[in-house]
C-alpha cells in the first residue's frame, strides 16, 4: 500500500465540478476543477507544450492531484513521474535525462492493417506419423455464418493450438503474418454444453461474412522507446535492461522526420502525454533554461510541476524568486494553488486511509488523530494509523482506540516536538550552529 494508492481519479462530475469526497480525493475543489479542465484539454488534444505549476504548503495534496490526473488519463496517454533530485543522481547529463523524460511522455499511435482469419472451429484433425517422427501435420475446419473452409496446419500451428487448448466450438482469430492464435470465446451454439465447462467460459456469436478479413491494429509506443530501439545494437532488449545511455541527437532527428512522414501519410498520430516533475525547486538554472526551450518544441508534452517552496534561491544562483523558479519560466506557467485542509477534510482523509490500510478505528481515536493532524501534520497522523493498529493487535483488540494513539504519540515525535527538543538541548549536540552563536 503506497502513500497515494487510495486515489482512483480527480473525483469530478460530468460538468467538471469537484465532489467533496470522491475517488480518494477530499477538498481542494478549485485545484481539482482546474486540473480537470486541463485534463479535458489533454484528452481532446487541444493542449501541448504548456506548463502547469501546483504550488502550496507541504501536505496539501499536490502529488495526490497529479496522481489523480494520471489515473483519469488511463493507459493510452503516457504519464511520466520524476523527482527533480533524480536528475542529479543519474550517470548521464541533466539535459539528456530531461530529454529522455520529455520523449517518454510523448506517445506515437501507429496504425497498421493486419490480415486475419476469424471463425468458429468445426473440427481439428492431427495426423501423427507412423514412423515415430515428431513432424505432425493436420487440418482445421473453420466456419462463419456465410462460409466454411479447411486449412492445412504445420508443426508450429499445431503446437500453438494445443498451447491455447483450442477445441471444436471455440471462436478464434489467426494472424496470417505472425501465426498468432487468439481465443475469443466459445460459440453460443455450444452453450448447451455448459455443465461440462467452467463458470468463467465466455460465449460469443459465430463470426459473420468471410473468414479472411483485414483489421486495423493500433500500437501505442513512446518516442523514447523508438529512440532506444534505433540507437542500440541489441535493439528493444535495452528497454528491459535499462541500459539506454545517452542517445545521439542525429538519431532523434531521423526518428522525428520519420514520425512526421507517418503523420502526413495517416499511418500514425502523436499523443501528447504528461511529464510530472515533483519538487521542481531542486532543479538548477541550466535545467530551467532547458525547460524554457523544450516547451517551444513542436513535439512537447504537457509539463506539470509541483513545489512547496515560497520565495527562495534559484538553485545555481544567488537570486531569489517565487517558488525557486526563474521569472521567465514562471511567466509561461498556469499556477494552480492548493490550500491547507480543514478539520473536517483531515478527518475524511484519515477515514479513507484507514479503509485503504484495512484498519478498524473507533470514533474517539479518529477524532484524536484528526486533532494531531491539525496541530502537527497530516502526514504524521497518516503514519500513525498502521503503527497504532500494530499496538492494538498486540493487546488483542479488534480496533484501534485512544490509548493506542497515545502510546504511538509518546513513542514517535512529530516535527514540532523534535525541533523543540533540539532547541532545548542544542548545546549537548555536536556542531550545533545555535549554540555557537550564543557563545559568541
Amino acid at each position: 500500500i503506497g502513500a497515494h494508492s487510495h486515489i482512483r481519479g480527480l473525483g469530478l462530475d460530468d460538468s467538471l465540478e469537484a465532489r467533496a469526497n470522491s475517488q480518494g480525493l477530499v477538498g481542494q475543489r478549485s485545484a481539482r476543477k482546474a486540473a480537470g479542465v486541463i485534463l479535458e484539454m489533454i484528452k481532446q488534444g487541444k493542449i501541448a507544450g504548456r506548463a502547469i505549476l501546483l504550488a502550496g504548503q507541504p501536505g496539501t495534496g499536490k502529488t495526490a492531484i497529479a496522481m489523480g490526473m494520471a489515473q483519469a488519463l488511463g493507459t493510452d496517454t503516457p504519464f511520466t513521474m520524476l523527482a527533480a533530485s533524480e536528475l542529479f543522481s543519474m550517470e548521464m547529463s541533466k539535459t539528456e535525462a530531461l530529454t529522455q523524460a520529455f520523449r517518454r511522455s510523448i506517445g506515437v499511435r501507429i496504425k497498421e492493417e493486419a490480415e486475419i482469419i476469424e471463425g468458429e472451429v468445426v473440427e481439428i484433425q492431427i495426423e501423427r506419423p507412423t514412423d515415430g517422427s515428431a513432424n505432425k501435420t493436420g487440418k482445421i475446419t473453420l466456419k462463419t455464418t456465410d462460409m466454411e473452409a479447411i486449412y492445412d496446419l504445420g508443426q508450429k500451428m499445431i503446437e500453438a493450438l494445443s498451447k491455447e487448448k483450442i477445441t471444436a466450438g471455440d471462436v478464434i482469430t489467426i494472424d496470417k503474418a505472425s501465426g498468432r492464435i487468439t481465443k475469443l470465446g466459445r460459440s453460443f451454439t455450444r452453450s448447451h454444453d455448459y455443465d461440462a465447462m467452467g463458470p468463467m467460459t465466455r460465449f460469443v456469436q459465430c463470426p459473420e461474412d468471410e473468414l479472411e478479413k483485414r483489421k486495423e491494429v493500433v500500437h501505442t509506443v513512446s518516442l523514447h522507446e523508438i529512440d532506444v530501439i534505433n540507437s542500440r545494437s541489441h535493439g528493444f532488449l535495452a528497454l528491459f535492461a535499462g541500459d539506454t545511455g545517452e542517445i545521439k541527437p542525429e538519431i532523434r532527428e531521423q526518428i522525428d522526420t520519420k514520425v512526421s512522414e507517418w503523420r502526413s501519410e495517416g499511418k500514425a498520430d502523436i499523443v501528447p502525454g504528461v511529464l510530472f516533475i515533483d519538487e521542481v525547486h531542486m532543479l538548477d538554472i541550466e535545467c530551467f533554461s532547458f525547460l524554457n526551450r523544450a516547451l517551444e518544441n513542436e513535439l512537447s508534452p504537457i509539463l506539470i510541476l509541483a513545489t512547496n517552496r515560497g520565495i527562495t534561491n534559484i538553485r545555481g544562483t544567488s537570486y531569489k524568486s517565487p517558488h525557486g523558479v526563474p521569472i521567465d519560466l514562471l511567466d509561461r506557467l498556469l499556477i494552480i494553488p492548493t490550500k491547507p485542509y480543514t478539520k473536517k477534510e483531515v478527518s475524511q482523509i484519515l477515514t479513507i486511509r484507514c479503509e485503504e490500510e484495512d484498519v478498524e478505528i473507533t470514533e474517539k481515536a479518529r477524532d484524536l488523530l484528526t486533532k494531531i493532524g491539525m496541530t502537527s501534520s497530516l502526514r504524521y497522523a497518516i503514519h500513525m494509523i498502521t503503527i497504532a493498529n500494530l499496538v492494538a493487535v498486540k493487546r488483542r483488540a479488534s480496533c484501534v482506540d485512544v490509548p493506542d494513539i497515545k502510546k504511538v504519540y509518546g513513542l514517535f515525535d512529530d516535527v514540532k516536538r523534535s525541533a523543540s527538543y533540539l532547541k532545548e538541548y542544542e548545546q549537548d549536540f555536536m556542531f550545533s550552529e545555535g549554540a555557537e552563536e550564543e557563545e559568541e
Side-chain angles (χ1 to χ4, degrees), residues 166-306:
I166 306 295
T167 56
D170 290 336
V171 178
I172 63 169
T173 61
I174 303 170
D175 190 327
K176 286 180 77 175
S178 63
R180 191 178 65 175
I181 297 169
T182 309
K183 186 175 177 178
L184 300 178
R186 195 133 181 91
S187 174
F188 272 112
T189 56
R190 302 288 181 130
S191 58
H192 60 273
D193 300 336
Y194 185 78
D195 290 344
M197 300 171 197
M200 299 303 287
T201 305
R202 184 180 174 213
F203 290 101
V204 293
Q205 294 285 359
C206 180
E208 298 176 350
D209 303 324
E210 293 190 4
L211 278 161
E212 297 189 16
K213 299 169 185 171
R214 294 183 73 85
K215 190 177 181 181
E216 190 178 80
V217 182
V218 178
H219 308 283
T220 304
V221 292
S222 71
L223 277 177
H224 176 66
E225 287 167 347
I226 301 173
D227 292 345
V228 173
I229 290 165
N230 286 279
S231 67
R232 291 284 171 270
S233 55
H234 44 280
F236 74 96
L237 291 174
L239 291 170
F240 302 102
D243 180 27
T244 56
E246 296 210 7
I247 296 164
K248 293 177 182 176
E250 298 82 35
I251 291 168
R252 289 200 174 111
E253 284 173 19
Q254 289 169 9
I255 289 164
D256 291 348
T257 306
K258 194 68 184 171
V259 169
S260 297
E261 284 176 22
W262 289 345
R263 286 175 72 187
S264 58
E265 291 167 10
K267 289 181 182 176
D269 292 323
I270 295 293
V271 185
V274 176
L275 172 59
F276 174 62
I277 303 178
D278 208 355
E279 307 295 339
V280 71
H281 52 266
M282 292 300 292
L283 295 180
D284 60 14
I285 193 71
E286 293 170 27
C287 295
F288 287 127
S289 300
F290 175 85
L291 289 178
N292 260 326
R293 187 189 64 79
L295 286 170
E296 293 173 352
N297 199 330
E298 186 186 350
L299 294 174
S300 177
I302 295 91
L303 183 64
I304 298 177
L305 311 173

Side-chain angles (χ1 to χ4, degrees), residues 353 357 359 381-392 400 408:
R353 285 305 300 181
E357 296 179 28
V359 173
I382 289 170
H383 287 320
M384 290 178 76
I385 294 169
T386 304
I387 306 165
N389 187 45
L390 291 172
V391 173
V400 174
V408 173

Side-chain angles (χ1 to χ4, degrees), residues 304-330:
I304 298 177
L305 311 173
T307 181
N308 56 19
R309 296 295 166 94
I311 295 169
T312 185
N313 277 2
I314 301 165
R315 186 171 175 174
T317 72
S318 57
Y319 298 105
K320 289 186 183 292
S321 178
H323 312 297
V325 178
I327 296 294
D328 58 340
L329 181 58
L330 270 177

